[in-house]
Amino acid sequence: MASWLYKYRLNIGIFLILLLSFFARTYFVNKVIVGDLLSYVEWGKHLFQTGPKNFYFGEEWYYSAPNYPPLAEWIFAGLLWLNDKRYVLAQMHNLVRFPPSAFIIYFYKWGDVFVVKLLPILCDLAISLVVYKLILNLTKDTKKAVAGLCFFLLNPVTVFISGAWGQTDSVVGLLGLLAFLALLNNNLILSIPLMFLSLYFKLSWAVLVPFYVYLLLSRRPKIVDLFFGIFLSVLLFVLTTKPFAEGNVFYYAWKLMWNRYPITLGITGKASISAFNFQTIFFRTDVDFAYQKLLGVATGHWGLLLYIITNLVAMFNFKKQQNKLVGMISGIFIVGMGSFLFLPTMLERYFSPAFPAMVILAFSKPKLLVTLIIINLILFANIIYSFYRRGSDELYHLFIDNNYLLTRVVSAVQVLLFATFVRSIVLQFKRE
């Protein structure tokens, strides 16, 4: 027994870390039940109870009208269908005395929010394993890989977003990461549908599409692989969207795009909704608009220009990197974090595509760890401020007093740290 434990000590250790992080997240399931989470529950219940017809445009909603693509709505419906079958837990308990009665009572009371939060929590665990594997691939150092896994899993940023808030960013992120990894392995038949699924759950990774297309073309794909990858994506689109559609499924999807989940770019929205970024160095969160001028140019157009530059830097870096895995992870970070920092209409958690990549890079090059920790602290402060500002005058005024002084300072620091981080990964990895 002792020899078996010693032989598999690494796997046992990782399992225990995963288990600890799982319970750390599920602890908050019934502690924080607000905002989007209640909408997810309402959408899921309605879809599995009444079906998809007139789902998007023909119903009155208590919390908010559906603004996620059909794939997400089907998943929410499936989760709430599982909760509806919770009586199975009691039947199992009567037969084998498992699960415990205390859990059954808990699940009967909180099961609807539990199942919805469970999805991003499990995706967090899966992303951490990807983080572990990629750090190990880059460093061949198990200690660094385990440290990176712990940093990601036990991080207050990831714990709060999935466990407390119940946001679905990790679901989108897992699909997006797997799509990029499959692409790097020239598996377009898997990669393209995975990227479609990521975007068709939520459009968070849409900012990475230009970089993804660049990588795809750089791999010189076979026409047959490209065809089957696109064909499978179209098939998934039709299967998930047709039940909702009134008439032509493609026209219906276009209508959904513009009426239920539009992408606001340029000068069509706020300079920043709640993100501490380039925009909030000069303007106020949720007050000033992206059409306001900075050096004679709309700040939203500055954001688009800087976003284009981050894409060009990511593409150039990928081309020059001998290790294409490093080039890909660096590109995801540069574009993902760059879009959060520079584009207008950003929310506080839209850094999520960049976060796993940033952890992988920093634990692969420990000189970047100090920068990672400072950025991490600012991101967490941003999340806490955005989540609690309407219920805490002290927190709200801390960031807005003296003409938003603290917000402007941490925003400027974060932009500068991003620039130094990008410079470091380009220079430190370049010779390898």
Side-chain angles (χ1 to χ4, degrees):
M1 182 66 177
S3 61
W4 182 87
L5 290 173
Y6 182 81
K7 181 179 179 180
Y8 293 102
R9 64 190 183 282
L10 177 60
N11 292 337
I12 294 170
I14 291 174
F15 174 76
L16 291 175
I17 295 167
L18 292 171
L19 197 62
L20 174 63
S21 67
F22 176 80
F23 286 119
R25 285 162 170 77
T26 55
Y27 170 80
F28 294 101
V29 163
N30 63 336
K31 303 293 189 296
V32 184
I33 305 175
V34 295
D36 293 342
L37 180 67
L38 295 172
S39 294
Y40 303 156
V41 171
E42 182 183 20
W43 301 340
K45 285 182 178 178
H46 183 88
L47 182 54
F48 94 77
Q49 288 174 352
T50 66
K53 292 301 181 184
N54 299 317
F55 179 79
Y56 279 99
F57 300 108
E59 299 292 340
E60 295 292 331
W61 298 92
Y62 184 80
Y63 292 105
S64 65
N67 57 11
Y68 275 40
L71 174 64
E73 304 298 348
W74 284 121
I75 291 175
F76 292 142
L79 294 170
L80 271 299
W81 177 85
L82 285 176
N83 177 62
D84 192 57
K85 308 303 177 186
R86 58 188 178 273
Y87 60 83
V88 173
L89 295 174
Q91 293 174 342
M92 289 175 58
H93 175 81
N94 292 334
L95 289 173
V96 296
R97 293 293 182 264
F98 185 85
S101 57
F103 177 77
I104 295 172
I105 294 170
Y106 170 88
F107 200 88
Y108 264 73
K109 186 173 182 180
W110 305 108
D112 52 355
V113 295
F114 181 88
V115 294
V116 172
K117 285 189 178 184
L118 185 63
L119 178 63
I121 287 171
L122 293 177
C123 288
D124 262 358
L125 305 190
I127 290 174
S128 74
L129 293 175
V130 176
V131 168
Y132 169 82
K133 288 292 186 182
L134 294 183
I135 296 173
L136 188 61
N137 182 296
L138 294 174
T139 66
K140 314 303 179 188
D141 189 323
T142 302
K143 291 181 179 178
K144 288 180 180 178
V146 172
L149 177 143
C150 291
F151 185 89
F152 180 85
L153 270 184
L154 303 176
N155 197 300
V157 167
T158 58
V159 171
F160 189 87
I161 289 176
S162 62
W165 206 341
Q167 292 291 347
T168 58
D169 300 273
S170 60
V171 183
V172 185
L174 177 62
L175 292 167
L177 270 175
L178 294 177
F180 271 93
L181 290 170
L183 177 59
L184 199 65
N185 289 323
N186 293 317
N187 191 343
L188 270 66
I189 297 176
L190 180 61
S191 176
I192 295 174
L194 280 172
M195 194 63 185
F196 165 77
L197 291 174
S198 175
L199 296 173
Y200 215 50
F201 187 96
K202 188 181 179 183
L203 290 169
S204 304
W205 277 58
V207 293
L208 282 154
V209 168
F211 183 61
Y212 177 84
V213 172
Y214 171 79
L215 262 62
L216 188 151
L217 296 176
S218 73
R219 309 308 288 172
R220 297 181 180 179
K222 296 178 180 178
I223 298 297
V224 64
D225 291 345
L226 197 61
F227 170 81
F228 278 109
I230 294 173
F231 172 78
L232 288 174
S233 299
V234 173
L235 181 62
L236 289 169
F237 161 77
V238 172
L239 290 174
T240 54
T241 310
K242 182 62 177 175
F244 294 93
E246 301 162 357
N248 183 278
V249 65
F250 295 100
Y251 174 77
Y252 184 81
W254 182 262
K255 182 180 175 183
L256 280 183
M257 174 68 72
W258 290 107
N259 289 278
R260 281 292 178 261
Y261 38 90
I263 303 173
T264 55
L265 293 175
I267 57 175
T268 59
K270 298 286 180 68
S272 171
I273 297 175
S274 54
F276 296 166
N277 59 12
F278 170 82
Q279 304 290 340
T280 50
I281 297 174
F282 310 99
F283 301 100
R284 296 165 295 176
T285 57
D286 209 25
V287 175
D288 295 320
F289 287 86
Y291 58 70
Q292 294 180 253
K293 299 296 180 65
L294 179 63
L295 299 178
V297 178
T299 186
H301 289 163
W302 278 116
L304 284 172
L305 174 62
L306 292 168
Y307 167 71
I308 292 169
I309 291 172
T310 61
N311 273 275
L312 293 175
V313 171
M315 294 172 188
F316 178 79
N317 181 61
F318 180 83
K319 182 178 180 180
K320 292 297 181 181
Q321 288 287 355
Q322 292 183 358
N323 187 330
K324 294 306 180 184
L325 176 60
V326 170
M328 183 196 75
I329 298 298
S330 300
I332 292 173
F333 167 74
I334 293 169
V335 177
M337 196 69 179
S339 63
F340 169 75
L341 289 177
F342 299 121
L343 285 176
T345 69
M346 287 290 111
L347 289 169
E348 68 291 318
R349 65 184 188 280
Y350 283 5
F351 63 84
S352 58
F355 196 74
M358 182 167 59
V359 174
I360 293 165
L361 294 167
F363 278 88
S364 297
K365 291 294 181 182
K367 290 182 179 180
L368 297 171
L369 283 174
V370 173
T371 305
L372 167 67
I373 290 169
I374 298 172
I375 292 176
N376 199 131
L377 290 172
I378 295 173
L379 294 175
F380 186 60
N382 195 169
I383 289 169
I384 294 300
Y385 162 74
S386 301
F387 191 83
Y388 289 109
R389 59 178 172 170
R390 292 180 177 85
S392 172
D393 285 342
E394 294 82 4
L395 183 64
Y396 180 65
H397 284 285
L398 176 66
F399 283 92
I400 72 162
D401 283 353
N402 302 306
N403 192 24
Y404 287 77
L405 177 61
L406 182 58
T407 298
R408 297 183 197 281
V409 169
V410 296
S411 299
V413 169
Q414 185 156 239
V415 171
L416 289 173
L417 289 176
F418 168 73
T420 59
F421 199 101
V422 171
R423 181 179 181 275
S424 296
I425 60 177
V426 170
L427 294 178
Q428 289 193 39
F429 284 105
K430 185 171 68 172
R431 304 179 196 83
E432 300 182 0

